[in-house]
Amino acid sequence: QVQLVESGGGLVQAGGSLKLSCAASGRAFNDYRMGWFRQAPGKEREFVAAITWIGGTTVYADSVKGRFTISRDNAKNTLFIQMNSLVPEDTAVYYCALALWGGLRDASAYGYWGQGTQVTVSS
């Protein structure tokens, strides 16, 4: 089994920055991909960014491209997302997730999810 634990959420003013972390533990895999998704109140969960663990290939949603940066620390099995130039529309619960295969942007491909961390951006 895999456990994912997010941290780093909080309240920030528009234009500010936050860095989220996701610590992975449990079963080891040869290669996988990890992603960040978010869900705002009354909205569906949406893709934010993803990275392949070995090759480091990254993909981003258009809404965050140029503002968010996803990265990972292979040695510490930790996923990060640096979020800059935050806007109120970024307010959501952010989830990290792990997938063994499938499309990087496809939430249904991710079989393991964290509990989420709240990010609130005030105007």
Side-chain angles (χ1 to χ4, degrees):
Q1 197 57 275
V2 173
Q3 292 79 42
L4 304 175
V5 180
E6 303 98 334
S7 61
L11 174 65
V12 63
Q13 288 188 333
S17 299
L18 277 176
K19 186 174 184 178
L20 306 183
S21 301
C22 175
S25 61
R27 181 180 173 185
F29 303 101
N30 290 332
D31 192 13
Y32 47 93
R33 60 280 313 273
M34 293 191 73
W36 289 98
F37 292 78
R38 66 186 182 186
Q39 187 166 20
K43 295 188 176 181
E44 293 186 354
R45 188 171 298 188
E46 65 172 354
F47 169 77
V48 176
I51 187 168
T52 59
W53 205 252
I54 300 300
T57 299
T58 59
V59 294
Y60 294 92
D62 288 343
S63 60
V64 307
K65 197 173 297 182
R67 300 188 298 122
F68 291 12
T69 303
I70 190 171
S71 62
R72 86 279 193 224
D73 184 328
N74 296 50
K76 296 183 178 180
N77 290 327
T78 303
L79 178 73
F80 305 99
I81 189 162
Q82 176 68 46
M83 306 185 295
N84 299 329
S85 302
L86 286 161
V87 297
E89 291 73 24
D90 294 319
T91 295
V93 177
Y94 283 71
Y95 299 88
C96 73
L98 184 149
L100 300 181
W101 53 74
L104 287 168
R105 300 173 184 268
D106 183 5
S108 65
Y110 291 78
Y112 303 95
W113 293 82
Q115 82 288 349
T117 186
Q118 177 71 46
V119 171
T120 303
V121 184
S122 63
S123 56

